[in-house]
Amino acid sequence: MERRTIGAGALAVGAVGLGCMPMSWAYSTSRQRGEESLRAVHRALDLGSTLLDTADMYGPFTNELLLGRVLKERRSEAFVSTKVGLLVGDQHIVANGRPGYVRRACDASLRRLQTDVIDLYQLHRADPEVPVEETWGAMAELVQAGKVRALGLCAVGARSARRPGARLHDATVRQLERVQQVFPVSAVEAELSVWSPEALETLLPWCESRGVGFLAAMPLGNGFLSGTLTPGGGFEADDLRARHPRFTAEMMAANQPLVVGLRRVARRHGEHVTPAQVALAWVLSRGRQVIPVPGAKRERWVSENAAAVDLRLTEHDLEELARLPAAQGSWD
């Protein structure tokens, strides 16, 4: 697989990563099967999708434990990204950026992942009660101690923190400017897809100008852009999409033109090309520092996602995708 680099340290990873969250968190529990997920991770490494993206809160903790079973055998083939800063309670999630907690959480992640070093340690959310510089300073100490290779900031929660009238990632950029004064940012993880392109406004240009890697979260729009979800099909109660405004039957039907457009482009490239692959190829075309991290828990989807690296969209394709209607429905 094509390789791309993260940050000034030029950490090399496969151009398409693997988001491991669906294996243990946020999506239908009844469809989560540990052995099937293990096979999916092994398949990703076989195909060169070396970036494995997880977090201590996924499960919580069970996602890191699952990855640890693979890393015990294949650590040298993987690039491990995990996150710190969120605690999961009963029906609530809270931020914790206290330096002492960060140090303890890192040691716990290392144990669960069965590794001596984390390749990319990301701040999942800033703690409003702790200056972000203090949290980042504690994370920098972990690099100096040899427990972490590089630091990143996760901006997936930017929507909930946006001020009225502000662009989506204005607050994230301000936060990045602050932590950059403490220790270099190697990567930013934020949502980017055909139906959620806001990162193109300010966040991606910020990364480009500073040589910072960009991990594109939810590049398939939580599965919608794959064209495999049926409007009105419903979701299990524990599936985050069951409560999501853009996944009501009405909004899924209203946004079908996006899937139709992806499918139309896919057909031009061959009968076996899928809308999901076109959506990933669009993300890959946003720049050499962009690495889409689609979530998957089955070998089939891992293989399909990895194959998107070989799909080269033409200028005509990109122009057609740019003309697709904006997604309808709130995303907040």
Side-chain angles (χ1 to χ4, degrees):
M1 180 183 287
E2 172 194 336
R3 307 276 279 181
R4 294 191 171 187
T5 56
I6 291 177
L11 304 171
V13 298
V16 172
L18 173 61
C20 299
M21 182 184 74
M23 302 174 185
S24 312
W25 179 258
Y27 292 88
S28 306
T29 302
S30 70
R31 300 179 187 177
Q32 293 170 357
R33 299 175 179 86
E35 294 303 317
E36 186 175 46
S37 294
L38 286 172
R39 291 193 295 272
V41 179
H42 280 291
R43 183 61 175 156
L45 294 178
D46 291 342
L47 295 169
S49 290
T50 56
L51 192 154
L52 308 178
D53 188 57
T54 183
D56 57 3
M57 71 166 286
Y58 298 159
F61 311 128
T62 54
N63 203 242
E64 288 186 333
L65 288 167
L66 185 147
L67 285 187
R69 294 170 61 185
V70 176
L71 297 176
K72 186 177 181 180
E73 303 173 19
R74 306 182 65 172
R75 180 63 183 93
S76 63
E77 302 171 63
F79 183 96
V80 182
S81 168
T82 192
K83 308 178 190 74
V84 66
L86 288 179
L87 292 171
V88 180
D90 186 18
Q91 303 297 317
H92 69 281
I93 298 172
V94 297
N96 188 338
R98 293 190 295 272
Y101 170 73
V102 169
R103 288 188 283 268
R104 293 192 302 275
C106 179
D107 288 340
S109 287
L110 288 168
R111 288 193 299 271
R112 288 188 290 266
L113 292 165
Q114 300 195 53
T115 185
D116 295 326
V117 64
I118 294 165
D119 296 305
L120 179 66
Y121 204 36
Q122 296 196 70
L123 178 58
H124 214 157
R125 298 289 188 279
D127 185 341
E129 304 299 323
V130 179
V132 70
E133 291 86 352
E134 290 185 19
T135 305
W136 200 257
M139 295 172 69
E141 291 174 5
L142 298 171
V143 178
Q144 292 153 6
K147 296 179 180 182
V148 169
R149 295 179 66 195
L151 301 184
L153 188 140
C154 186
V156 174
R159 294 181 186 278
S160 60
R162 178 169 43 172
R163 296 172 183 169
R167 290 178 298 184
L168 177 59
H169 290 294
D170 285 352
T172 301
V173 169
R174 289 194 297 270
Q175 197 174 70
L176 286 165
E177 295 286 1
R178 290 171 62 185
V179 300
Q180 188 82 317
Q181 302 302 312
V182 178
F183 191 87
V185 178
S186 290
V188 173
E189 182 166 354
E191 184 178 2
L192 177 61
S193 69
V194 170
W195 81 341
S196 294
E198 295 93 340
L200 300 178
E201 295 177 349
T202 55
L203 190 56
L204 188 54
W206 188 94
C207 292
E208 287 176 338
S209 66
R210 292 160 178 80
V212 172
F214 187 94
L215 310 188
M218 293 176 275
L220 298 179
N222 296 103
F224 181 83
L225 300 176
S226 69
T228 60
L229 300 179
T230 303
F235 300 97
E236 294 182 14
D238 61 347
D239 192 310
L240 63 84
R241 293 168 295 186
R243 301 173 299 281
H244 202 300
R246 206 175 267 188
F247 282 92
T248 64
E250 179 184 8
M251 285 300 100
M252 288 179 69
N255 286 317
Q256 284 302 304
L258 286 161
V259 176
V260 171
L262 292 168
R263 190 171 281 122
R264 185 167 55 245
V265 172
R267 282 198 297 267
R268 288 205 291 267
H269 289 269
E271 59 178 326
H272 299 299
V273 177
T274 67
Q277 289 172 329
V278 174
L280 291 174
W282 179 89
V283 174
L284 286 162
S285 73
R286 299 301 94 185
R288 289 284 306 169
Q289 82 286 4
V290 179
I291 299 126
V293 188
K297 56 180 179 285
R298 294 189 176 92
E299 291 180 87
R300 171 189 174 185
W301 306 126
V302 168
S303 298
E304 180 179 313
N305 293 341
V309 173
D310 299 320
L311 177 59
R312 296 290 183 266
L313 298 179
T314 66
E315 287 300 320
H316 175 62
D317 294 333
L318 293 171
E319 290 170 2
E320 183 170 338
L321 294 174
R323 291 195 298 269
L324 291 177
Q328 297 185 44
S330 170
W331 194 232
D332 298 321

